[in-house]
Amino acid sequence: MITDRLLGRSGAVFLAIVLAVAVLVPLSNLALPAGSALRVPDYMMPLLGKYLCYALLALSVDLVWGYAGILSLGHGAFFALGGYAMGMYLMRQIGARGVYGNPVLPDFMVFLNYKELPWFWQGFDHFPFAALMVLAAPGLLAFVFGWFAFRSRVTGVYLSIITQAMTYALLLAFFRNDMGFGGNNGLTDFKDILGFPVQAQGTRAALFFLSAVALAGGFLLCRAVVTSKLGKVLVAIRDAESRTRFIGYRVETYKLFVWTLSAMLAGVAGALYVPQVGIINPSEFAPASSIETVIWVAVGGRGTLAGAALGAVVVNAGKTWFTGVFPEVWLFALGLLFVLVTLLLPKGILGTAAEWWTGRRRPAVRDLDDEDGVARPVDARGAPVPAE
Amino acid sequence: MQTTTTPALLYLDAVSVVFDGFRALNNLSLMIGPTEMRAIIGPNGAGKTTMMDVITGKTRPTAGQATFEGGRHDLTTLDEATIAQLGIGRKFQTPTVFEMHTVEDNLRLALKADRRTFPTLFARRSAAERERIDALLERIRLTDSRRRRAAELSHGQKQWLEIGMLLAQEPKLLLVDEPAAGMTDQETADTADLLREIARTRAVVVVEHDMVFVRDLGVKVTCLHEGTVLAEGSLDQVSANERVVEVYLGR
């Protein structure tokens, strides 16, 4: 019963696929001989791992956009902060193996004539502390930002614009060398994670596995939220905010809760992304990255969770292929994709598929449909907002 | 005018609301008893909606007092959610229900319960809750539609669902804005019955244009004009008032 509610129909399929991928991809890479046709090539595993991190990021955006109607155009900031927290840990693990051989200071600090480690770098040599910061840094930023924005009742386009301003401000700040985060080069040249070499195939397999597990866990967490009574309140806020207020729900605290939770999920995605990609730099804060994430969600299906993850993987796989074949036209292709999806598949891939499926067996599914408790997919153009 | 033996549930004293120099409410005073039903009439722009906004915390008055439950709560300092939790329910002019939710979920969300974030996250469906919802569905005649999405309901059904949601909150005072708008004659008569029944246990303030409906309700009428009370009394008394006739028929 409880698992039924938590998973829904498509959720069980989604979870099974993610867990199968979690096991099969690393297994095929490690166990099969080098020439085998079924073997996932070495270069492919971190690439696929990256897609999984993007899928988790898309999930976090869908949680706030699809269910609470908060269109964030700055979720890249939370992703990047989680990434920087992990990057700082990885930098401290380099120790004396850096180019300058300083046992405490990372190379870029030696280069910039730092005499000692800045206070905010303290503690990052301990993994548990860094792991805590992966959640705390984006969580705190989201909490403070949301506390002001939601209490002042900033909504809709205005909110989207200030999320964009937030990530842009962080982009500019992180570009500065004297911020102490490596300026425009960011953090790179990582050596170890928890004592394992980051480049080793075994470590990569483990990171891939963890990314898939994080995606599955994030999915279950989001499902638990959206199928709860609180999830129904979120959809109520999305569709008729002031009605929800007049019924006695303090809308701003509900938004703040889901917003902060979503930011922390994005932070986890960023933290898993960095060791697999091998670098974190300010470009992750670029407003365009955050907008791209929204496109993944729209393509996969807003308000479907699994669809958001699917959209992230599909669009990024397309991007990898496209930038290999026609590097110049990728951005045009992405724009065209967004236009086409908005016009032809306003409910995204999964939303359209789900509609087609229930349309075919409507009478039989009626009750089940209700019990699964999900918000019905809404189109990328926005949820219907009844006039008041 | 008002007997002072029963303390007022709602008390507005000399309330004024000024928007950019425009006086939406002008020295408005109003007193509603604990189980009183009152009809508010008045031409467009008389300040009926602004009055509801002041009572529900959406608009802060420029001057004057608004108190609830014999002066125990100062409504001018509380936000919408707190006022709703105190027991003031509001129905909008155009029915606003949660279209994407089922009829049942609409009622469940409105049901009186802990409204804080975490208790809501961990809330479980209980038998008592289900009984309450069943009773409400019966009362608003939507039992057969409980699993339908609210968006699929007819206009009249949505109006009733919204009234059902108000009842689910167990408010002490209901503010109902044009409940009969867009309804058939039969639905209008049924709605009047429903409101009269509700008013036996709680206070109801109805804003309405439809004079037939107001006559159906058969309660004390307050006529607003230019943000202030023009006349108060039975419908016959009010309609006999020369100023009211003037306002309604034009000078």
Side-chain angles (χ1 to χ4, degrees):
Chain A
M1 272 305 283
I2 286 171
T3 51
D4 272 2
R5 193 202 77 166
L6 208 52
L7 289 174
R9 278 161 297 142
S10 53
V13 179
F14 173 78
L15 213 59
I17 293 173
V18 171
L19 292 176
V21 165
V23 176
L24 293 178
V25 169
L27 203 64
S28 106
N29 177 266
L30 294 178
L32 294 176
S36 168
L38 289 174
R39 184 170 183 271
V40 174
D42 286 353
Y43 77 89
M44 185 87 100
M45 201 162 49
L47 188 67
L48 294 177
K50 191 173 90 169
Y51 295 167
L52 293 180
C53 297
Y54 284 153
L56 183 57
L57 173 62
L59 208 61
S60 74
V61 170
D62 195 25
L63 182 65
V64 288
W65 186 36
Y67 293 86
I70 306 167
L71 173 55
S72 170
L73 296 180
H75 250 53
F78 305 128
F79 180 82
L81 283 179
Y84 267 97
M86 178 58 92
M88 287 162 83
Y89 164 76
L90 295 170
M91 288 306 267
R92 295 299 311 272
Q93 295 306 298
I94 298 173
R97 285 170 294 173
V99 177
Y100 296 104
N102 188 312
V104 178
L105 297 184
D107 278 349
F108 77 88
M109 289 191 193
V110 180
F111 183 75
L112 293 170
N113 291 319
Y114 276 71
K115 292 291 168 268
E116 55 183 17
L117 207 61
W119 62 269
F120 49 85
W121 275 76
Q122 302 296 336
F124 276 94
D125 46 338
H126 301 291
F127 184 79
F129 178 77
L132 182 72
M133 293 318 276
V134 161
L135 296 173
L140 195 68
L141 174 66
F143 186 86
V144 172
F145 177 93
W147 201 80
F148 286 106
F150 301 138
R151 272 177 60 96
S152 353
R153 300 197 181 172
V154 181
T155 53
V157 182
Y158 302 99
L159 188 87
S160 301
I161 290 170
I162 60 170
T163 57
Q164 188 93 122
M166 171 190 75
T167 196
Y168 191 62
L170 285 166
L171 170 80
L172 296 179
F174 274 72
F175 256 127
R176 299 174 52 216
N177 280 329
D178 43 7
M179 270 292 278
F181 292 104
N184 63 345
N185 294 320
L187 310 174
T188 187
D189 287 332
F190 308 135
K191 303 277 191 273
D192 295 338
I193 180 165
L194 290 167
F196 300 100
V198 275
Q199 302 284 348
Q201 219 43 39
T203 315
R204 290 184 156 184
L207 284 168
F208 179 91
F209 177 77
L210 286 174
S211 305
V213 168
L215 176 60
F219 176 74
L220 285 176
L221 184 68
C222 290
R223 284 288 304 181
V225 169
V226 304
T227 55
S228 71
K229 187 176 174 190
L230 179 138
K232 291 187 192 297
V233 175
L234 292 179
V235 171
I237 291 170
R238 180 193 75 189
D239 293 346
E241 178 165 333
S242 66
R243 183 94 209 93
T244 317
R245 234 185 262 282
F246 284 121
I247 266 182
Y249 292 99
R250 195 156 282 119
V251 166
E252 49 273 21
T253 64
Y254 281 80
K255 285 185 174 176
L256 191 57
F257 167 78
V258 75
W259 174 252
T260 307
L261 180 70
S262 163
M264 293 201 279
L265 276 176
V268 171
L272 285 162
Y273 169 87
V274 167
Q276 298 187 79
V277 183
I279 184 165
I280 173 81
N281 63 30
S283 68
E284 299 298 337
F285 286 108
S289 319
S290 299
I291 293 173
E292 236 183 277
T293 309
V294 171
I295 298 180
W296 308 336
V297 177
V299 168
R302 177 187 169 197
T304 60
L305 295 180
L310 179 74
V313 173
V314 168
V315 176
N316 279 292
K319 181 179 186 173
T320 303
W321 179 79
F322 232 102
T323 45
V325 189
F326 314 104
E328 288 83 16
V329 291
W330 161 246
L331 274 180
F332 296 100
L334 183 69
L336 185 69
L337 178 70
F338 189 54
V339 171
L340 288 180
V341 163
T342 312
L343 289 177
L344 304 176
L345 290 181
K347 289 177 180 170
I349 300 170
L350 206 74
T352 309
E355 198 170 64
W356 179 80
W357 184 247
T358 40
R360 259 169 40 117
R361 339 181 292 159
R362 191 161 260 282
V365 222
R366 252 280 128 73
D367 280 15
L368 231 170
D369 207 20
D370 174 57
E371 282 309 309
D372 87 10
V374 214
R376 277 75 194 169
V378 281
D379 63 39
R381 284 171 267 189
V385 181
E388 209 184 278
Chain B
M1 280 218 294
Q2 187 89 20
T3 50
T4 43
T5 43
T6 51
L9 180 67
L10 175 73
Y11 183 48
L12 299 184
D13 186 23
V15 171
S16 295
V17 173
V18 183
F19 298 119
D20 293 330
F22 169 69
R23 285 193 167 268
L25 290 184
N26 187 8
N27 225 6
L28 175 80
S29 297
L30 187 76
M31 214 187 258
I32 305 288
T35 57
E36 185 184 348
M37 172 141 63
R38 179 77 62 92
I40 310 271
I41 60 170
N44 283 328
K48 298 172 306 237
T49 305
T50 310
M51 182 192 78
M52 291 213 183
D53 286 347
V54 168
I55 298 169
T56 53
K58 193 178 175 194
T59 301
R60 298 266 177 254
T62 319
Q65 282 183 10
T67 59
F68 189 56
E69 296 201 288
R72 243 187 296 160
H73 307 285
D74 181 358
L75 299 178
T76 59
T77 59
L78 305 171
D79 70 353
E80 296 99 317
T82 313
I83 291 174
Q85 287 171 26
L86 282 179
I88 298 183
R90 176 173 188 180
K91 196 203 147 305
F92 291 95
Q93 192 173 338
T94 45
T96 31
V97 293
F98 305 124
E99 307 245 329
M100 300 295 269
H101 283 315
T102 59
V103 169
E104 193 175 348
D105 280 345
N106 268 278
L107 291 175
R108 177 170 290 117
L109 285 178
L111 222 49
K112 191 184 172 82
D114 198 329
R115 295 284 202 250
R116 286 170 302 163
T117 317
F118 287 97
T120 308
L121 179 61
F122 298 111
R124 301 189 146 270
R125 298 179 187 196
S126 67
E129 194 186 73
R130 187 158 178 110
E131 270 170 37
R132 280 280 291 140
I133 292 175
D134 286 346
L136 282 165
L137 283 168
E138 197 69 41
R139 197 162 182 189
I140 56 173
R141 299 178 196 169
L142 287 174
T143 305
D144 294 335
S145 305
R146 66 187 305 155
R147 289 199 188 288
R148 285 172 69 198
R149 256 199 275 168
E152 298 169 15
L153 300 179
S154 72
H155 181 81
Q157 284 175 318
K158 281 185 194 170
Q159 296 272 35
W160 278 53
L161 175 57
E162 202 177 3
I163 294 175
M165 288 165 74
L166 279 189
L167 291 177
Q169 292 177 63
E170 296 174 26
K172 301 182 181 90
L173 169 67
L174 272 87
L175 304 175
V176 191
D177 203 349
E178 298 198 23
M183 282 191 167
T184 62
D185 288 349
Q186 184 57 46
E187 283 172 335
T188 305
D190 289 345
T191 305
D193 281 344
L194 180 67
L195 289 177
R196 264 197 303 270
E197 191 192 326
I198 293 168
R200 266 188 249 140
T201 51
R202 54 199 92 211
V204 180
V205 172
V206 185
V207 166
E208 189 51 74
H209 276 305
D210 184 340
M211 286 303 155
V212 180
F213 182 74
V214 174
R215 188 166 295 281
D216 247 15
L217 291 176
V219 295
K220 188 171 170 184
V221 174
T222 299
C223 179
L224 295 190
H225 179 56
E226 289 176 349
T228 196
V229 175
L230 193 63
E232 211 164 62
S234 73
L235 183 61
D236 291 329
Q237 284 170 337
V238 170
S239 3
N241 184 307
E242 269 179 38
R243 289 277 293 131
V244 173
V245 174
E246 203 174 295
V247 161
Y248 263 95
L249 300 178
R251 57 233 88 215

